[in-house]
Amino acid sequence: MLKYTHVTIDGATLRTPKGQSVLDVALEYGICIPHLCHLPNHTDMGACRLCIVEHVKNGRSTVTTSCTLEAKEGMVIRSNTDRIRALRMNIAELLVAEAPNSKAVQDVAVRCGVKQVRYPFRNKDCVLCGRCVRVCRELWGANALGFIGRGMKRRVDFPFGVRPDSCKVCNSCIDVCPMTITPCAGPMLPGREYLCGQCESQLSMNATVPDTCVLCDLGKGFQCARQR
Amino acid sequence: MYMEVPEADGLFRDGGGASRLLETLLERQEKEGYLSRETIRDVAVSLGVPLTEAWGVANFYKVFSLVPRGKHRMTVCMGTACHVRSAPLLLEEFSGQLNLEPGETSADGLVTVETVNCLGACGVGPVVVADEVFHHHMTPKKLRRLIRSVRRVEEEETEHD
Amino acid sequence: MTELKRLEDLDALRERLGTERKRTLRTLTVCGGTACQASRSRPVAEALKRELAEQGLGDVATVRVTGCQGFCEQGPIVAVEPEGVFYCHVGERDAAEIVGRTVRNGEVLEPLLYRDPVSGEKVRTLDHIPFFRWQERRILGQNHLLDPCSIRESIASGGYAAWQRVVSGFTPEEVIAEVKAAGLRGRGGAGFPTGRKWESCRNAPGDVKYVICNADEGDPGAYMDRSILEGNPHLVLEGMLIGAWAVGARAGYIYVRHEYPLAVEHARTAVGQARELGLLGRNLLGSGFDFDVEIVRGGGSFVCGESTALMASIEGRVGEPSPKDVHTVEQGLWNRPSNLNNVETWANVPLIINEGAARYASLGTDHSKGTKIFALTGHVKNTGLVEVPFGTTLRTIIHEIGGGASNGVGVKAVQTGGPSGGCIPARLFDLPVDYETLSEAGSMVGSGGMVVMDEGTCMVDVSRYFLEFLREESCGKCVPCRLGIDRMLEIVTDMVNGNGRPGQIELLEELGDTVSATSLCGLGKTAANPVLSALRYFRDEFVAHIEEKRCPAGVCRALIRYAIDADRCTGCGVCLTACPSEAITGSRKKPHTIDPGKCTRCGICRSECTFDAVVVKPREDARAQIHPRDDRRSHAAHA
């Protein structure tokens, strides 16, 4: 059995070990598909929907998240079509309207081309990306954090709201949380939120720079650091 | 309450004890009226699931109440058919008569008002279920009468004490 | 009862039961479905039994309590077989006469007969009632023939005959071919070809496979599955047996919504009886095939009707959907190949085997075969369950069968497909009902809910209702569904409260498109349908709300005011007593007045006034007027 498989992303045929997600492959090759809830080496939830791509099959294309799509031989993916960019922009707009008080969220909004926020700002302190839950459960097996509730009432919490003994205060949850760094100009007070739109850097926790950057078109729109 | 049907041997339940979580919590609430923290912890331990998981399930499903409920539970159906037949008027009635919004229990612990998203009795809506008895074609007037009869039952009981 | 060890045993049993059945001269069939029980049909059944005994007619007639027959508005219903005399709104005190006169002498009791609301005339038998006459009750029609809590009655009425045919002469591949040829499509909403699903499941690698019955029926306003599962659970079990044989599964689950306690009870009883008789378990009818079923209850969650969420729920977890890049027929329950079908889909299977694919496919349209059961509710004269072949027009269903508008006001639209569907305006009622046609019109067949809305309905308010429902039921995992639905609701609420702004309609459409295209599961993907279809056909109402701060239908509270017409008011004081806000004043026999400062436009006074004296007028100074109570309610929802 071959250990590798080949997928085509934005016209480039890429070789990858079997079992990788399309997002993994893309990031490996420097195709910087925006993402938020993806946590390397942990299961992917497909919650933020930012990493959506078009999966072209039998002449039809379906919009699906690249983090949950396993790369299979001969797959054809388009990660940066006009439609995808428009959809991503709307999703990022929803996110930044909800939780603008985070450098990561503001950066994602810029990367996705958000120029205006057409909804009243809110000032939430959690985007429910699930990184903390997954790191607690999968890396440490502590199961101290979980998603509680449904819909808009969904939140991350300890059982009964009380920190359990299984929590060893390792702080991994804080380390992976996108909300922990406030925007450069300082925390945004309730009622005074705005679309930052200035910073063009990458998400601070995705600091790993791949060795092979293909200098793709995608990077131009996102003001990718490697484009300079 | 339900007919006890023994499990068929060996053909089921890949997931072991963990897959019994929802049903066990349902049964405990039926017995105890709501899910206390002790109950949830107890169920998690006995089934061998993480406490977080049990707490998550208890919070996810609408049927569960994490606080003690009133002696008399009155549930208004909010399905589409009941809605176009003015079920919201019934919520107004509860609000006006008992000053209770859905999910709230009266201060004396007697009545809890709840909503449910369709009981499937759409032909006879609007429907209110009071103490597990279905009441059909409800109007604000009939609801006032129903609330009065519940109050009367309580008064008679306290007289007998 | 001894266990059936071989095929021949089942034949012999059926024959014996059939002969016994013929011996009973008369049967009083009482509907015992959930809604009729709400109307107190159980005491009626008990009273009839008592009267038969007391009047010495116990040998001449029996009482059979059946499952739901779908004519709920008229309950309690009693039918006298074999004549078929049909009585409605029967009370306990009518029992003596029914037994004494109808059973004993064959006399028909006029006051208890059904009065057709359209013609105004009394109708004697069920098959002459217009509501039933236009239907083809191939699935539902069996309900009035049997007591769902008796496997004997099921078998005597033909239950498990199709299963017998399969065991004695069909290979799994042949069963799949038959179901494919019949053209059966999933009745739960998606309309996926059932035969193809079974084939994929059969071909999926793995030794352990499951068949699952989706009895979650979360669409508000839909109760077809409740009726089938309560009224004929063995039909569903038989379908699952045949499906399990076809795909190679040895275990099955029926996931029943928690809000259907009677369906749960009847399903559990049916499974218990089937096991006792040897129709479930090991080496069924000597074939070497094992199969058993377990009933699982839901916990009150609409999203658990979605296949991956349903399976997560059976696994004991929260009902959060998962991405479906790999289908559940390959990796489903506990990652095993799982074939999930809706209750009504399973119920159609025995019919296909019994009469053959060709006959089955002779009903319906080119791509939508067979019959579909619809729950016709809302502002229509005859509400209930309607089973018609695909291709029947909306007009036939709503006007011929449904009898048209119930309130004397015209029918405006019909909402089909529940929260995943959309509205279809009255001018399009000549459209034939099938999967493709309704989808093209911006709605869908869905599970079969059909809510009729008259001219007094505000389509902006209806959009808000569905968005509120979906916001509460969304699992919250993915951004477009969780935040998108909330923001759409925020916009529509603005419109309803008189705070609508230009550009909001366009934003609603753009956001709706994004939510549809990028959500993780079917709930999010279809969440925008109600509002988008309302915009498609009733855009002018939205525009009126925004630009004129006016609600054309007179529903949205911030945009209307209530007043009492002094010419009609008799001063009876009913409204004064009923008003929860103490907004009405007036002395007896003198016209009353409503204080606009206190009035919340809740509508209670209007619903209780028997003189039609409470009138709705547009509010001249339409500003957002949120009553503290509404505010508290919406805060509670946002908390």
Side-chain angles (χ1 to χ4, degrees):
Chain A
M1 281 295 263
L2 294 168
K3 289 195 297 176
Y4 293 100
T5 193
H6 302 83
V7 298
T8 306
I9 303 182
D10 295 340
T13 304
L14 311 168
R15 189 182 79 160
T16 176
K18 277 189 176 172
Q20 301 281 88
S21 72
V22 169
L23 181 64
D24 285 335
V25 181
L27 292 178
E28 183 74 32
Y29 279 94
I31 298 177
C32 309
I33 300 177
H35 51 277
L36 186 61
C37 69
H38 169 69
L39 187 60
N41 300 318
H42 290 69
T43 55
D44 284 296
M45 276 170 63
C48 70
R49 317 304 288 173
L50 287 168
C51 69
I52 42 169
V53 294
E54 284 187 29
H55 176 195
V56 185
K57 209 167 155 187
N58 301 331
R60 281 192 353 207
S61 71
T62 352
V63 172
T64 187
T65 43
S66 49
C67 63
T68 53
L69 184 64
E70 189 184 327
K72 296 246 170 83
E73 183 67 35
M75 220 176 220
V76 176
I77 303 288
R78 289 206 276 255
S79 76
N80 205 22
T81 60
D82 286 339
R83 174 113 174 100
I84 290 286
R85 296 179 96 134
L87 292 171
R88 246 189 233 139
M89 188 179 75
N90 285 340
I91 296 170
E93 184 186 356
L94 285 169
L95 269 169
V96 78
E98 197 73 14
N101 221 340
S102 144
K103 186 171 181 307
V105 172
Q106 291 277 0
D107 283 356
V108 161
V110 164
R111 288 169 141 256
C112 295
V114 176
K115 295 281 185 287
Q116 54 171 348
V117 178
R118 295 167 289 181
Y119 314 106
F121 275 103
R122 295 179 187 157
N123 206 320
K124 300 276 175 67
D125 56 11
C126 175
V127 285
L128 299 161
C129 66
R131 287 165 144 242
C132 54
V133 173
R134 281 173 285 151
V135 81
C136 185
R137 184 173 63 220
E138 294 171 25
L139 190 57
W140 300 114
N143 283 307
L145 288 173
F147 280 117
I148 306 301
R150 234 163 56 183
M152 286 302 285
K153 297 191 194 147
R154 185 173 161 100
R155 64 185 198 278
V156 174
D157 206 351
F158 297 120
F160 310 143
V162 173
R163 191 168 68 78
D165 293 337
S166 63
C167 168
K168 305 302 178 198
V169 204
C170 69
N171 281 353
S172 300
C173 49
I174 300 173
D175 285 343
V176 297
C177 175
M179 303 298 299
T180 49
I181 303 174
T182 51
C184 313
M188 295 184 186
L189 300 172
R192 305 261 202 87
E193 301 92 351
Y194 56 97
L195 176 66
C196 172
Q198 291 165 24
C199 187
E200 294 161 4
S201 70
Q202 286 186 326
L203 284 174
S204 52
M205 76 268 330
N206 278 355
T208 48
V209 178
D211 297 334
T212 48
C213 171
V214 300
L215 292 173
C216 63
D217 272 310
L218 204 72
K220 295 213 187 96
F222 298 140
Q223 286 90 46
C224 173
R226 279 182 282 293
Q227 287 288 338
R228 307 209 195 178
Chain B
M1 182 193 289
Y2 295 101
M3 176 174 162
E4 278 306 309
V5 176
E7 220 181 272
D9 56 312
L11 287 172
F12 294 100
R13 294 290 179 190
D14 266 324
S19 63
R20 292 229 156 280
L21 182 55
L22 175 55
E23 181 63 35
T24 311
L25 288 173
L26 282 170
E27 286 167 10
R28 292 296 291 265
Q29 173 162 286
E30 272 151 19
K31 243 188 280 186
E32 296 159 29
Y34 76 109
L35 288 179
S36 66
R37 294 184 173 188
E38 292 68 45
T39 301
I40 296 172
R41 198 185 293 277
D42 187 44
V43 168
V45 165
S46 67
L47 294 177
V49 300
L51 187 55
T52 303
E53 185 92 17
W55 180 234
V57 169
N59 272 275
F60 183 87
Y61 293 100
K62 192 177 155 80
V63 71
F64 293 126
S65 176
L66 303 173
V67 293
R69 291 184 288 184
K71 197 165 161 197
H72 301 277
R73 281 203 295 283
M74 306 186 80
T75 312
V76 181
C77 179
M78 300 303 283
T80 314
C82 289
H83 177 83
V84 301
R85 284 193 183 176
S86 308
L89 291 187
L90 301 173
L91 289 182
E92 289 290 339
E93 197 59 43
F94 274 121
S95 201
Q97 289 280 315
L98 301 173
N99 201 24
L100 289 178
E101 296 304 317
E104 295 179 356
T105 302
S106 58
D108 56 10
L110 282 178
V111 176
T112 301
V113 174
E114 290 176 333
T115 57
V116 70
N117 282 336
C118 196
L119 293 159
C122 319
V124 298
V127 173
V128 171
V129 184
D131 297 323
E132 291 173 20
V133 173
F134 279 60
H135 296 267
H136 62 110
H137 292 112
M138 286 304 278
T139 58
K141 195 168 178 177
K142 283 187 183 174
L143 185 57
R144 281 199 294 281
R145 240 184 285 152
L146 180 60
I147 295 173
R148 271 202 303 270
S149 73
V150 167
R151 280 208 176 112
R152 230 176 310 151
V153 163
E154 278 306 309
E155 278 160 34
E156 281 166 20
E157 284 195 13
T158 39
E159 270 172 25
H160 282 276
D161 285 341
Chain C
M1 234 183 327
T2 48
E3 215 181 277
L4 302 168
K5 296 241 166 38
R6 304 159 304 154
L7 269 174
E8 302 80 65
D9 295 342
L10 181 52
D11 265 327
L13 178 62
R14 184 173 295 115
E15 215 184 288
R16 206 182 72 233
L17 292 171
T19 331
E20 273 172 27
R21 227 172 133 94
K22 287 201 179 63
R23 274 194 241 120
T24 311
L25 285 178
R26 276 212 171 93
T27 316
L28 295 165
T29 309
V30 182
C31 178
T34 296
C36 276
Q37 285 206 36
S39 306
R40 309 288 179 267
S41 66
R42 282 231 162 257
V44 170
E46 295 306 312
L48 286 168
K49 284 184 193 156
R50 266 196 324 266
E51 286 298 328
L52 282 175
E54 279 174 26
Q55 296 190 28
L57 291 167
D59 297 335
V60 163
T62 51
V63 174
R64 175 194 302 139
V65 177
T66 68
C68 179
Q69 296 181 36
F71 205 25
C72 316
E73 194 98 61
Q74 305 298 322
I77 318 177
V78 176
V80 185
E81 311 281 358
E83 293 90 341
V85 174
F86 194 79
Y87 292 143
C88 320
H89 297 300
V90 177
E92 268 184 88
R93 45 185 164 36
D94 298 318
E97 282 215 318
I98 293 178
V99 170
R101 290 165 64 187
T102 308
V103 176
R104 191 190 287 284
N105 304 332
E107 216 184 302
V108 170
L109 302 171
E110 283 278 321
L112 290 176
L113 287 179
Y114 172 74
R115 183 190 294 282
D116 178 23
V118 181
S119 68
E121 292 178 4
K122 292 269 185 178
V123 185
R124 250 183 73 123
T125 56
L126 186 138
D127 43 351
H128 283 102
I129 295 177
F131 179 78
F132 288 107
R133 215 174 59 225
W134 286 94
Q135 297 188 39
E136 279 265 6
R137 292 168 82 91
R138 321 209 68 218
I139 309 291
L140 273 184
Q142 299 179 39
N143 277 21
H144 83 275
L145 295 174
L146 50 92
D147 172 359
C149 297
S150 161
I151 192 170
R152 304 171 76 105
E153 292 212 5
S154 245
I155 292 175
S157 317
Y160 296 103
W163 167 235
Q164 243 183 296
R165 297 190 70 203
V166 165
V167 170
S168 59
F170 279 75
T171 64
E173 288 77 11
E174 283 166 346
V175 172
I176 292 175
E178 195 73 11
V179 173
K180 277 172 99 170
L184 178 63
R185 289 170 70 169
R187 298 286 194 257
F192 189 84
T194 308
R196 264 177 52 197
K197 190 185 260 193
W198 289 16
E199 193 173 51
S200 304
C201 190
R202 178 162 193 80
N203 293 337
D207 290 327
V208 179
K209 298 184 184 178
Y210 296 109
V211 290
I212 307 177
C213 173
N214 187 344
D216 191 57
E217 194 161 55
D219 281 359
Y223 58 104
M224 306 72 56
D225 296 346
R226 168 179 80 64
S227 171
I228 296 173
L229 199 54
E230 269 179 16
N232 201 346
H234 289 286
L235 182 62
V236 178
L237 287 177
E238 192 179 0
M240 289 175 77
L241 268 165
I242 297 170
W245 176 272
V247 307
R250 292 167 71 223
Y253 290 88
I254 303 182
Y255 183 86
V256 189
R257 118 197 226 87
H258 182 268
E259 295 85 339
Y260 286 173
L262 197 60
V264 172
E265 192 185 308
H266 287 190
R268 284 183 175 170
T269 304
V271 166
Q273 290 178 347
R275 284 179 186 164
E276 249 178 41
L277 205 52
L279 285 167
L280 283 177
R282 302 216 184 250
N283 192 14
L284 302 176
L285 299 178
S287 64
F289 182 70
D290 306 332
F291 181 67
D292 207 329
V293 169
E294 207 175 293
I295 314 294
V296 177
R297 288 192 288 169
S301 165
F302 172 76
V303 73
C304 286
E306 193 272 346
S307 60
T308 57
L310 191 153
M311 294 182 199
S313 197
I314 295 180
E315 292 176 8
R317 302 186 282 122
V318 293
E320 279 172 22
S322 314
K324 279 211 275 210
D325 297 291
V326 178
H327 291 286
T328 49
V329 281
E330 291 175 49
Q331 281 174 26
L333 195 54
W334 292 296
N335 266 335
R336 315 249 196 229
S338 306
N339 185 83
L340 174 81
N341 277 126
N342 170 266
V343 169
E344 196 182 337
T345 313
W346 289 119
N348 269 269
V349 172
L351 185 63
I352 291 174
I353 299 295
N354 276 330
E355 68 178 17
R359 167 94 179 88
Y360 182 86
S362 66
L363 278 181
T365 63
D366 282 340
H367 297 291
S368 305
K369 298 291 183 195
T371 58
K372 175 82 189 80
I373 305 174
F374 294 99
L376 186 64
T377 59
H379 300 138
V380 72
K381 288 201 180 76
N382 299 321
T383 68
L385 295 181
V386 174
E387 185 176 347
V388 289
F390 276 113
T392 307
T393 64
L394 287 167
R395 193 175 301 286
T396 304
I397 296 172
I398 295 168
H399 289 277
E400 318 264 13
I401 298 176
S406 54
N407 294 337
V409 189
V411 173
K412 185 173 189 173
V414 66
Q415 216 281 340
T416 70
S420 311
C423 58
I424 298 178
R427 59 182 169 80
L428 293 180
F429 279 3
D430 287 310
L431 283 176
V433 176
D434 72 18
Y435 291 105
E436 277 67 39
T437 311
L438 291 194
S439 287
E440 272 157 26
S443 181
M444 60 158 77
V445 167
S447 66
M450 263 193 196
V451 184
V452 178
M453 298 174 175
D454 66 18
E455 296 288 350
T457 312
C458 172
M459 300 314 284
V460 185
D461 178 62
V462 167
S463 306
R464 181 174 72 157
Y465 166 82
F466 281 114
L467 286 169
E468 254 173 16
F469 175 86
L470 290 165
R471 187 183 62 165
E472 194 187 320
E473 298 291 345
S474 163
C475 79
K477 188 191 326 192
C478 77
V479 168
C481 174
R482 182 181 80 246
L483 299 181
I485 292 177
D486 187 56
R487 293 295 187 176
M488 283 197 282
L489 177 58
E490 195 178 60
I491 295 171
V492 175
T493 306
D494 274 349
M495 294 177 182
V496 154
N497 282 338
N499 289 330
R501 294 185 297 283
Q504 276 187 324
I505 291 181
E506 290 73 17
L507 180 56
L508 209 50
E509 286 173 329
E510 192 183 323
L511 182 52
D513 174 61
T514 298
V515 172
S516 303
T518 62
S519 289
L520 190 152
C521 82
L523 188 152
K525 287 188 176 145
T526 57
N529 286 355
V531 68
L532 290 180
S533 73
L535 279 169
R536 176 170 167 176
Y537 295 115
F538 298 99
R539 200 184 188 89
D540 49 309
E541 273 187 65
F542 287 82
V543 172
H545 278 70
I546 296 173
E547 292 181 6
E548 300 169 56
K549 310 291 187 231
R550 179 178 66 92
C551 174
V555 168
C556 297
R557 296 184 191 180
L559 309 179
I560 55 171
R561 63 181 179 86
Y562 277 13
I564 293 179
D565 184 345
D567 293 329
R568 291 199 195 150
C569 176
T570 61
C572 68
V574 162
C575 58
L576 199 154
T577 335
C579 177
S581 315
E582 291 169 358
I584 304 183
T585 47
S587 18
R588 284 193 72 74
K589 309 271 175 106
K590 298 258 171 61
H592 284 33
T593 40
I594 297 177
D595 177 358
K598 287 188 182 166
C599 172
T600 62
R601 283 87 65 212
C602 68
I604 290 182
C605 58
R606 193 166 161 225
S607 74
E608 305 217 0
C609 176
T610 43
F611 302 98
D612 278 335
V614 180
V615 293
V616 180
K617 298 185 176 203
R619 200 183 171 90
E620 286 89 34
D621 60 340
R623 299 163 281 122
Q625 275 262 327
I626 305 181
H627 190 271
R629 198 155 52 230
D630 283 343
D631 202 32
R632 189 164 136 221
R633 202 173 290 161
S634 76
H635 268 199
H638 264 282

